[in-house]
Amino acid sequence: MVTLAEVARHAGVSASTVSYVLSGKRSISSATRLRVERSIQDLGYHPNAGARALASSKSNIIALMMPLRTDMYVPVMMEIAVAVATTARTHGYDVLLLTGAEGAPAVRRVTGSGMADAMILMDVELDDDRLPLLRESGQPAVLIGLPAETVGLTCVDLDFVATGALCAEHLAGLGHRDIAVIGEAPAVYERHTGFAERTLEGLRARARELDLRLLHRPSDGGYDAMAATLARIFDERPRTTGFVVQNESAVEPLLALLRRQGRAVPEDVSVVAVCPDPVAVHASVRLTSVAIPAQEMGRRAVEHVVAKLNGHGTDGIELLAPELTVRASTGPAPA
Amino acid sequence: MVTLAEVARHAGVSASTVSYVLSGKRSISSATRLRVERSIQDLGYHPNAGARALASSKSNIIALMMPLRTDMYVPVMMEIAVAVATTARTHGYDVLLLTGAEGAPAVRRVTGSGMADAMILMDVELDDDRLPLLRESGQPAVLIGLPAETVGLTCVDLDFVATGALCAEHLAGLGHRDIAVIGEAPAVYERHTGFAERTLEGLRARARELDLRLLHRPSDGGYDAMAATLARIFDERPRTTGFVVQNESAVEPLLALLRRQGRAVPEDVSVVAVCPDPVAVHASVRLTSVAIPAQEMGRRAVEHVVAKLNGHGTDGIELLAPELTVRASTGPAPA
DNA sequence: ACAATAAGTCGAAGCGCTTCGACTCACCCT
DNA sequence: AGGGTGAGTCGAAGCGCTTCGACTTATTGT
């Protein structure tokens, strides 16, 4: 293990000089800089992270807290995580991965130990028990998702209200009048994760303006659950011709069931999904969808966090504008 | 920020005593222990991670290197990551998330800086350029996946050869003679990620023994690619009645296409998938499958790493035995 | 009864780095 | 010519923790 002191000796300078070469916080003659850099190369020196953290009280680490439930909106979470990790690297930070399993205590542990300089929380619920701790810790943090009370917090999320509105507009524009919304699993609503409710809100508001009739049904994923849900929908509203689906694991079952019932997509019924683009593209019918910009969300979260760490902090909410891509699953309402 | 010294003063003992209370490395009278623990509570003390790492040259962090490609076998990766993170916590470690983007240099950075005590590499290719560095760094490491050369390495993986054999046996047992294998995307084979090839190997070996005829076709995911692949398969081997699919994003398109062609599953053709259980359960036909035990892999990887860090290290390869679950997608071959 | 041992505690020396103040030289301005 | 300025460098003091050796007091064996 090569130390700074050894590099200094090798280059014939003092330790502080090497440190300044590394950090650039004081001017160094280019002659010494070069000499030091050569020594660093020659010896294969890497600064010790612990020592650095201790001396500077900066860890250069951002903690990312993921939901534990590995069965839900997984691809989105994964994309966010990867985007966070890569973006963080471009700013010189590494990412510590925390799972929701520990919950609030993890926040305390990380902020208390100086293990990370900042936190990013995913899957924030409307009334999240990690937030009070976060607030009092005073540690820079960014949420991905939108809690009920956002004072003093920075949040990044897709504008789900606008997303709902967009779906309603698209279907209305094609002449559909009866719309069924296949929502997330009931558990998601019970946890009040917010985004599902916000989509619905946007959907309802615009539906009212556009004079659509809306039926909302949460649904667990899977074929059997979907079959039951679908039966109830057509029972209540036989003239339903438009579907909005916000549940990745309901998409394929829905398509399969519609096919089996002899309803052609998009000739008889139209389907709009709210899901990541890859899911929409790989589905058995290429889906018209509003993308969940997972990468963008991860990237923006890191950028906010880094800005805070550099003092250009700005609290507030950034809602990303939704984009609807028309593919093969929506068409004019049947006459 | 409360320090050890303040705790010591508050409890009326020396700093070293507090340290020993924390680490349990020397015996402490229960009276002092209690006093110190109360002080820790009262002051809300959390040891500083950097200082600890510096003094003990242990970071209590395990680095996990994930593949960058967020579009492939995502749920598996995610499950592994979460399992690694939670298991690591039970052993007192945190997890640093690295993406493959940085490649080998990341290995150097992390081992060099003492940022992590050990590494876990996912998505290891047969001839992985991170391995030489890993070997020379001498840092404890575990691979998830199986490279070509495993001397001096510890690896955890599903036994894909046995997996292939298991699929062949199951279909043969049901009377199928002509089997088509829908493999991963060609890119996967080109990268020599190994597991795809090993599955095929197991499949071929057992097929020979059981006198099955096997046709292997890699396939990109998605409906259109699958349509082309499937057409070619029935063109070459019209009597194909068994399918083995090892590509999550090919599963639904395959099922959809078979339905559209009027081939009933499992009456006319049987389908066995190699995929995580949730995928098999949520598919539009509940799939007979060999599960990819992602959680188990993550857990075992951490356990090996921790064992190494504790000196009970054992190099070697641990191949998890595959298990085939019969669901609704396989049945007797048609007469 | 006395050395040997164990239990419990403390002081001090670092771990490898950052950073502050101070020092030495040019060099420039008037 | 003399003081001011800025560039370039060094020394030393920590950052908060672990850990080694040493010390004090009980406890044990013979």
Side-chain angles (χ1 to χ4, degrees):
Chain A
M1 177 106 297
V2 189
T3 71
L4 207 174
E6 298 177 51
V7 173
R9 201 174 320 126
H10 186 272
V13 298
S14 76
S16 44
T17 300
V18 176
S19 178
Y20 287 124
V21 167
L22 253 31
S23 68
K25 292 193 179 173
R26 285 203 183 172
S27 49
I28 297 284
S29 70
S30 57
T32 16
R33 162 175 292 107
L34 247 55
R35 208 139 35 85
V36 169
E37 280 166 355
R38 281 221 40 182
S39 297
I40 289 178
Q41 286 296 325
D42 292 359
L43 301 179
Y45 168 72
H46 284 271
N48 181 88
R52 206 165 234 206
L54 177 55
S56 67
S57 37
K58 280 182 207 161
S59 61
N60 287 306
I61 287 182
I62 295 171
L64 174 68
M65 200 156 165
M66 275 207 150
L68 180 65
R69 301 172 281 280
T70 62
D71 52 339
M72 248 180 303
Y73 18 98
V74 175
V76 181
M77 294 300 160
M78 178 85 173
E79 264 194 75
I80 294 180
V82 172
V84 165
T86 49
T87 310
R89 281 307 302 144
T90 71
H91 293 277
Y93 288 88
D94 273 293
V95 169
L96 196 74
L97 183 67
L98 306 175
T99 65
E102 276 190 286
V107 172
R108 188 166 261 138
R109 197 167 55 82
V110 168
T111 67
S113 67
M115 192 175 264
D117 297 333
M119 290 199 83
I120 296 178
L121 300 192
M122 301 171 62
D123 196 37
V124 176
E125 302 180 12
L126 277 180
D127 181 23
D128 203 296
D129 62 341
R130 297 169 295 183
L131 298 186
L133 267 174
L134 247 201
R135 280 208 177 83
E136 96 187 31
S137 82
Q139 197 174 38
V142 170
L143 316 188
I144 296 181
L146 217 50
E149 183 51 58
T150 62
V151 187
L153 297 174
T154 302
C155 312
V156 174
D157 205 353
L158 175 61
D159 187 339
F160 281 101
V161 174
T163 299
L166 204 51
C167 294
E169 279 163 26
H170 178 66
L171 290 173
L174 290 168
H176 298 273
R177 298 284 114 207
D178 278 273
I179 311 292
V181 181
I182 317 263
E184 294 281 358
V188 174
Y189 293 91
E190 278 151 26
R191 283 193 291 112
H192 296 295
T193 313
F195 74 92
E197 284 157 14
R198 283 187 285 133
T199 309
L200 197 56
E201 186 187 317
L203 226 22
R204 285 205 172 118
R206 189 61 105 251
R208 204 169 313 121
E209 291 170 22
L210 298 171
D211 209 28
L212 302 177
R213 284 193 310 190
L214 216 60
L215 186 64
H216 172 238
R217 289 287 172 263
S219 170
D220 288 306
Y223 196 77
D224 298 338
M226 193 61 233
T229 305
L230 194 59
R232 276 175 44 218
I233 288 173
F234 280 120
D235 208 45
E236 274 184 66
R237 299 274 173 89
R239 304 181 52 196
T240 299
T241 59
F243 284 88
V244 177
V245 193
Q246 181 171 209
N247 181 343
E248 286 157 28
S249 57
V251 167
E252 282 301 340
L254 173 63
L255 295 175
L257 283 160
L258 290 174
R259 253 186 312 252
R260 166 170 305 186
Q261 298 180 358
R263 304 183 201 252
V265 173
E267 292 79 3
D268 301 327
V269 297
S270 287
V271 176
V272 179
V274 180
C275 66
D277 266 341
V279 172
V281 171
H282 276 127
S284 58
V285 177
R286 297 177 58 253
L287 295 169
T288 295
S289 71
V290 176
I292 297 184
Q295 300 211 28
E296 180 74 4
M297 284 159 70
R299 230 190 47 225
R300 294 299 298 148
V302 171
E303 282 164 1
H304 276 119
V305 144
V306 170
K308 283 193 177 191
L309 290 172
N310 294 335
H312 324 313
T314 45
D315 277 356
I317 299 174
E318 178 175 16
L319 292 182
L320 304 177
E323 284 180 31
L324 185 144
T325 306
V326 179
R327 298 200 183 80
S329 69
T330 53
Chain B
M1 177 107 295
V2 188
T3 71
L4 210 179
E6 299 177 51
V7 174
R9 200 172 321 127
H10 186 272
V13 299
S14 76
S16 46
T17 300
V18 177
S19 179
Y20 287 124
V21 167
L22 253 30
S23 69
K25 291 193 178 171
R26 285 203 184 170
S27 49
I28 297 286
S29 72
S30 56
T32 18
R33 160 173 295 108
L34 247 54
R35 208 138 34 84
V36 169
E37 280 165 354
R38 282 220 41 181
S39 297
I40 290 179
Q41 286 295 324
D42 291 358
L43 302 180
Y45 168 72
H46 284 271
N48 181 88
R52 204 165 237 204
L54 177 56
S56 67
S57 39
K58 279 182 208 160
S59 61
N60 288 306
I61 286 183
I62 296 172
L64 174 68
M65 200 155 163
M66 276 208 147
L68 179 64
R69 298 171 283 280
T70 61
D71 53 340
M72 248 180 306
Y73 17 98
V74 174
V76 181
M77 294 300 161
M78 178 84 174
E79 263 194 76
I80 294 179
V82 172
V84 165
T86 49
T87 311
R89 281 305 305 145
T90 71
H91 293 276
Y93 289 88
D94 273 293
V95 170
L96 195 73
L97 183 66
L98 306 176
T99 65
E102 277 190 284
V107 172
R108 187 165 262 136
R109 196 166 57 83
V110 168
T111 67
S113 67
M115 192 174 266
D117 297 334
M119 289 198 84
I120 296 178
L121 301 191
M122 303 173 60
D123 195 37
V124 176
E125 302 180 11
L126 278 180
D127 181 22
D128 204 296
D129 64 340
R130 296 169 295 184
L131 298 186
L133 267 174
L134 247 201
R135 281 207 178 82
E136 96 187 30
S137 82
Q139 196 174 38
V142 171
L143 316 188
I144 297 181
L146 217 49
E149 182 52 58
T150 62
V151 187
L153 296 174
T154 303
C155 310
V156 174
D157 206 354
L158 175 62
D159 188 338
F160 281 100
V161 174
T163 298
L166 203 51
C167 294
E169 278 163 26
H170 178 65
L171 289 174
L174 290 169
H176 297 274
R177 297 286 115 207
D178 279 272
I179 311 291
V181 181
I182 316 264
E184 293 282 358
V188 174
Y189 293 90
E190 278 151 26
R191 283 193 292 113
H192 296 295
T193 313
F195 73 92
E197 284 158 14
R198 283 187 285 132
T199 309
L200 197 55
E201 187 187 316
L203 226 22
R204 286 206 172 115
R206 189 60 107 251
R208 204 170 311 120
E209 291 171 23
L210 297 172
D211 209 27
L212 302 178
R213 284 192 310 190
L214 215 60
L215 185 65
H216 172 238
R217 290 285 171 269
S219 171
D220 288 307
Y223 196 77
D224 298 338
M226 193 61 232
T229 307
L230 195 59
R232 278 173 45 216
I233 289 172
F234 279 121
D235 208 45
E236 275 185 66
R237 299 274 173 86
R239 303 181 51 195
T240 299
T241 59
F243 284 87
V244 177
V245 192
Q246 181 172 210
N247 181 343
E248 286 157 28
S249 58
V251 167
E252 281 301 339
L254 174 63
L255 294 175
L257 283 159
L258 290 173
R259 251 184 314 249
R260 167 169 305 188
Q261 298 179 359
R263 305 184 199 253
V265 174
E267 293 79 4
D268 302 325
V269 297
S270 287
V271 176
V272 179
V274 180
C275 66
D277 265 341
V279 172
V281 170
H282 276 127
S284 57
V285 177
R286 296 178 59 254
L287 295 168
T288 295
S289 71
V290 177
I292 297 184
Q295 299 210 28
E296 180 74 4
M297 285 159 70
R299 230 190 46 226
R300 294 299 297 147
V302 171
E303 281 164 1
H304 277 119
V305 144
V306 170
K308 284 194 174 189
L309 290 172
N310 294 336
H312 326 313
T314 44
D315 276 356
I317 300 174
E318 177 175 15
L319 292 182
L320 304 177
E323 285 181 30
L324 186 144
T325 305
V326 179
R327 298 200 182 81
S329 68
T330 54

